[in-house]
Amino acid sequence: MKSTKIKIAMVGQKHVLSNEGGVEKVVREISTRLVKRGYEIICYDRRTKHVMDSDERVPNLSEYQGVKIESCFTIDKKGLAAVTSSFFATIKILFSDADVVHYHAEGPAAMLPIIKFFSKKRIVVTIHGLDWKREKWKNGFSSKYIKFGERMTAKYADEIIVLSDNVKQYFKENYKRTTHFIPNGVSKPIIVPCDSISKKFDLKKDNYFLFLGRIVPEKGIHYLIDAYNQIETDKKLVIAGGASDTNEYFQTLIDKSQKNKNIIFTGFVQGKELEELYSNAFVYVLPSDLEGMPLSLLEAMSYGNCCLTSDIEECSTVIENHGITFEKGNIRNLSRTLQELSDDIDFVQQIKNDTVQFILKKYNWNDVVEKTLELYRG
């Protein structure tokens, strides 16, 4: 096949233009690069409101940088959005001239048998993480549906992409299925000074620890707040991100923080505020119990941050010896590490000095696209 003849359909993202989650960023980065190489890409997006910011308006475009965008009917309720949007996307794709269908995540991939049984299109699935382990999907129909999508992926996908060795081993042990490890990438950002975050939150360069991500239990933010409350420091703690169907959990974090005026919740951030937060943090902290491939960690390192993460494999293999880890879920260990970093500015700066060069070389979007194309071509 010539590259100009291959047509690829992307399914599983909310809005390809959104910064709401990792899947959206991955689809956008891969799709725009593929278009530049002569491939035709259609992204079948969900027709939903922004989960973490109801005031956020994603532009209703039919095309973005050459990538075609088609919205699919969606029942905008927890547990039904992914099911309905991926079903209608799959039906549209079935009757399209797409050569390759690329599903993102286990839930949307539950629909891939429709493509497998009624067409000769090539099917590729990216497992961004074992989603059935996430707190909000652990029980009931959602968990069973996601597990079903996982089984359909293992049985019928032509190729499976995973983002960590843990998941690669999981598919090998549970399904005897070979997968391909292709991590996410990251681009070199522009470092910007404090401006809007100074006016809005009274933040200055290197005077805050930063967590940036979705406000969900598996991110371990409760550990971070408990640990921070036990240290003596003039550094603030910034919790940046929106709640994703987890308002009760968000309220517990507010309750934990109410006696400490140095803990700041920014809500969902993007654009200039996001860039400023990354650019000026003292230390970026990711205390997760569960991750797929943490794009926020790659981004934090690309901004030259000293990063402190839990010692789960998905984080520790990213930072290698260019960051610090603590024992997952160990508040005392996390507290002690935060105190040591707060007291040793020179050590933090030492970590920062070579982080950018390391991460940009190790995780490159062009490499990701090349490896993905190999799977598309078969």
Side-chain angles (χ1 to χ4, degrees):
M1 281 185 182
K2 294 181 181 179
S3 64
T4 52
K5 297 292 185 181
I6 297 179
K7 297 180 180 180
I8 302 146
M10 298 281 187
V11 188
Q13 67 283 352
K14 298 181 182 74
H15 304 278
V16 74
L17 296 181
S18 172
N19 289 314
E20 189 171 338
V23 172
E24 288 71 39
K25 293 179 184 178
V26 170
V27 171
R28 184 169 64 247
E29 293 288 348
I30 293 176
S31 296
T32 52
R33 283 170 170 78
L34 285 171
V35 165
K36 291 177 181 178
R37 295 177 181 225
Y39 295 85
E40 184 176 328
I41 313 295
I42 302 180
C43 290
Y44 291 85
D45 290 359
R46 296 183 203 173
R47 193 178 296 164
T48 62
K49 294 179 180 178
H50 199 289
V51 173
M52 290 174 283
D53 185 356
S54 58
D55 295 327
E56 171 67 10
R57 294 290 179 267
V58 178
N60 186 21
L61 302 178
S62 60
E63 185 177 300
Y64 172 73
Q65 294 187 13
V67 178
K68 296 180 181 178
I69 302 172
E70 188 162 340
S71 295
C72 298
F73 175 79
T74 306
I75 298 176
D76 196 5
K77 291 185 178 181
K78 180 182 177 181
L80 291 177
V83 177
T84 53
S85 63
S86 56
F87 171 75
F88 286 103
T90 298
I91 296 301
K92 286 185 176 184
I93 293 167
L94 182 63
F95 293 99
S96 76
D97 59 353
D99 301 295
V100 178
V101 187
H102 191 158
Y103 285 92
H104 291 267
E106 296 162 308
M111 300 297 168
L112 71 80
I114 298 173
I115 301 294
K116 188 70 176 180
F117 297 154
F118 298 104
S119 79
K120 295 183 179 180
K121 303 179 191 298
R122 189 164 176 78
I123 302 171
V124 177
V125 179
T126 295
I127 303 296
H128 290 260
L130 300 178
D131 289 339
W132 51 269
K133 286 187 174 183
R134 301 187 187 280
E135 190 68 30
K136 68 176 181 177
W137 305 128
K138 272 188 175 180
N139 302 306
F141 169 76
S142 295
S143 177
K144 292 177 182 177
Y145 178 76
I146 292 170
K147 271 293 191 74
F148 174 75
E150 180 179 286
R151 292 196 298 273
M152 295 302 98
T153 296
K155 190 171 184 178
Y156 296 119
D158 293 300
E159 305 288 356
I160 303 172
I161 297 170
V162 296
L163 306 182
S164 73
D165 286 331
N166 273 353
V167 177
K168 186 180 181 73
Q169 189 65 25
Y170 172 84
F171 270 83
K172 192 71 173 177
E173 291 177 356
N174 289 274
Y175 301 105
K176 305 296 186 287
R177 183 64 200 258
T178 299
T179 58
H180 305 270
F181 171 60
I182 305 179
N184 292 328
V186 69
S187 303
K188 186 176 182 178
I190 298 174
I191 309 299
V192 295
C194 290
D195 181 20
S196 61
I197 63 172
S198 292
K199 298 170 183 174
K200 198 170 181 179
F201 307 112
D202 193 28
L203 297 175
K204 299 178 178 60
K205 185 169 181 60
D206 290 333
N207 86 324
Y208 59 94
F209 293 97
L210 173 66
F211 166 85
L212 198 153
R214 290 176 297 118
I215 308 298
V216 291
E218 59 265 24
K219 292 290 185 182
I221 310 164
H222 47 293
Y223 306 139
L224 177 56
I225 292 174
D226 286 344
Y228 177 80
N229 278 331
Q230 295 175 19
I231 69 173
E232 295 182 6
T233 182
D234 60 353
K235 311 292 185 189
K236 298 179 181 180
L237 174 60
V238 176
I239 310 294
S244 177
D245 298 316
T246 52
N247 291 329
E248 288 184 12
Y249 176 67
F250 183 76
Q251 187 56 52
T252 66
L253 300 182
I254 296 294
D255 294 342
K256 283 178 178 290
S257 309
Q258 60 184 356
K259 294 182 180 179
N260 194 331
K261 60 180 175 41
N262 284 327
I263 300 178
I264 299 168
F265 290 86
T266 68
F268 177 75
V269 293
Q270 61 181 340
K272 193 169 184 293
E273 278 189 10
L274 178 68
E275 294 170 359
E276 289 183 22
L277 286 170
Y278 272 139
S279 294
N280 299 285
F282 175 64
V283 171
Y284 175 83
V285 190
L286 187 62
S288 301
D289 287 331
L290 175 70
E291 284 289 348
M293 176 65 173
L295 262 177
S296 62
L297 177 57
L298 298 184
E299 291 173 348
M301 294 183 76
S302 75
Y303 275 88
N305 278 291
C306 172
C307 293
L308 167 62
T309 75
S310 59
D311 59 0
I312 60 175
E313 188 259 355
E314 290 80 359
C315 291
S316 61
T317 56
V318 171
I319 63 176
E320 295 184 13
N321 62 339
H322 297 269
I324 307 101
T325 63
F326 72 96
E327 183 182 351
K328 182 189 79 171
N330 189 328
I331 295 172
R332 181 177 296 180
N333 186 205
L334 175 55
S335 180
R336 183 170 63 249
T337 307
L338 289 172
Q339 188 68 67
E340 289 171 353
L341 293 175
S342 180
D343 294 341
D344 196 344
I345 297 174
D346 291 338
F347 175 72
V348 170
Q349 188 57 51
Q350 182 182 332
I351 296 291
K352 289 183 174 187
N353 287 339
D354 61 349
T355 296
V356 175
Q357 186 176 357
F358 161 76
I359 206 69
L360 292 179
K361 184 177 180 180
K362 185 178 178 183
Y363 297 98
N364 185 287
W365 279 119
N366 291 327
D367 293 340
V368 173
V369 169
E370 282 295 339
K371 292 175 182 177
T372 305
L373 275 174
E374 290 178 12
L375 303 186
Y376 289 167
R377 294 178 182 130

